[in-house]
Amino acid sequence: MNEFRSLADLLDLQALDSAIDRLLEERSGLPELERFKAAHEEAAAIGADLARLEGELTTTRRALDKAEGELEILEQKATVTEQRLYAGGMNARETEHMQADVAMLKHQVGDQEEAVLVLIDQRESLDEQVSGRSSDHEQALAAKGELEAAIKEAWSRIDAEIARKEARKSDLVPSIDDDLVALYEKSREAHAGVGVGALENETCGACHVGLSPREVAVLKREEFPRCVHCNRLLVI
Ligand SMILES: [Zn+2]
């Protein structure tokens, strides 16, 4: 009769295994996982865009520094040339040349001022874009962080629950015949996680198909009865 008692214990083992399976399914199917993946991708895309804009800003700042330096040199050149022109002491031909130099330098100063203004506009626009993208990035990282925390919390709750069920399994399994546990595991593997059912009202509790009184009578004589329909172990 000890074997029969063990067979009935399989139902308790099955209940624990099914509960663990459900918890594992819940663990890998958390809705936050999909949302975390999307949040991670969004934060990465915004981060890449931000890095690109920051790169452009650095390049523009350097170009602006250079253009401002060149403008200063041109302005100095124009001032010095103009001062020499006003100082006089040159013949008409030299004066004419110098006037042409001053005019050319002033024209170059004007062009350079334009170039500096364009770069200032570009820098201001990039400053704004970088600032906007930075705040987008912070928000995206915060959303990702919240989801990560929610997932960790859910996982830790689920893992603790699994650990409790595993502990109960460890207490239960030694009381069941080793061969029977092996049969159950094999049957569980072959039948989508459910290896054993209880016969209730002449019906298999695993596949829910009825057995005739004759079939039940035959099964009652077997050491390890199996449902004639689904072939799972049957506790009669
Ligand atoms: Zn069945």
Side-chain angles (χ1 to χ4, degrees), residues 125-155:
S125 157
L126 283 166
D127 266 336
E128 265 177 42
Q129 289 179 64
V130 164
S131 149
R133 238 28 196 146
S134 288
S135 105
D136 290 348
H137 196 223
E138 273 169 29
Q139 277 176 26
L141 289 175
K144 183 181 147 182
E146 273 173 30
L147 287 166
E148 199 175 350
I151 289 165
K152 276 187 182 164
E153 199 187 312
W155 276 359

Side-chain angles (χ1 to χ4, degrees), residues 29-42:
L30 284 180
E32 286 89 351
L33 286 170
E34 273 300 307
R35 286 164 57 206
F36 175 82
K37 197 176 157 230
H40 173 76
E41 278 165 12
E42 198 192 349

Side-chain angles (χ1 to χ4, degrees), residues 12-221:
D12 293 339
L13 182 57
Q14 177 69 71
L16 288 170
D17 275 332
S18 293
I20 291 168
D21 287 348
R22 278 194 299 274
L23 287 162
L24 288 172
E25 212 170 289
E26 189 190 347
R27 195 185 197 283
S28 61
L30 284 180
E32 286 89 351
L33 286 170
E34 273 300 307
R35 286 164 57 206
F36 175 82
K37 197 176 157 230
H40 173 76
E41 278 165 12
E42 198 192 349
I46 295 172
D49 197 33
L50 178 61
R52 176 187 62 79
L53 287 167
E54 281 172 340
E56 279 181 33
L57 181 58
T58 303
T59 306
T60 304
R61 278 191 177 135
R62 280 193 196 127
L64 179 59
D65 280 350
K66 189 166 170 261
E68 281 173 338
E70 282 166 5
L71 175 61
E72 213 179 307
I73 290 166
L74 281 170
E75 281 171 340
Q76 280 169 3
K77 250 186 180 173
T79 306
V80 168
T81 312
E82 212 168 21
Q83 279 168 355
R84 276 171 59 199
L85 178 66
Y86 295 144
M90 290 176 291
N91 63 33
R93 194 188 161 85
E94 284 168 342
T95 304
E96 203 178 312
H97 270 149
M98 197 147 282
Q99 276 172 339
D101 281 351
V102 169
M104 188 193 71
L105 283 165
K106 283 193 168 169
H107 187 73
Q108 284 178 349
V109 166
D111 284 351
Q112 193 63 21
E113 278 172 348
E114 278 293 319
V116 166
L117 285 175
V118 167
L119 285 167
I120 287 173
D121 278 350
Q122 278 179 16
R123 189 199 56 192
E124 280 173 358
S125 157
L126 283 166
D127 266 336
E128 265 177 42
Q129 289 179 64
V130 164
S131 149
R133 238 28 196 146
S134 288
S135 105
D136 290 348
H137 196 223
E138 273 169 29
Q139 277 176 26
L141 289 175
K144 183 181 147 182
E146 273 173 30
L147 287 166
E148 199 175 350
I151 289 165
K152 276 187 182 164
E153 199 187 312
W155 276 359
S156 112
R157 172 182 60 75
I158 292 167
D159 289 348
E161 191 63 33
I162 289 174
R164 275 195 290 277
K165 305 265 185 238
E166 290 286 1
R168 282 170 59 191
K169 255 184 83 171
S170 300
D171 289 343
L172 180 62
V173 168
S175 72
I176 309 172
D177 184 79
D178 284 351
D179 291 344
L180 195 52
V181 172
L183 278 178
Y184 159 77
E185 290 294 353
K186 239 179 154 178
S187 176
R188 200 169 109 75
E189 217 169 276
H191 299 103
V194 179
V196 63
L199 187 74
E200 277 170 13
N201 303 322
E202 311 287 290
T203 300
C204 166
C207 69
H208 309 291
V209 179
L211 282 83
S212 71
R214 196 170 164 272
E215 284 167 336
V216 173
V218 170
L219 288 177
K220 273 184 177 168
R221 290 197 293 273

Side-chain angles (χ1 to χ4, degrees), residues 204 206-207 227 229-230:
C204 166
C207 69
C227 168
H229 303 293
C230 68

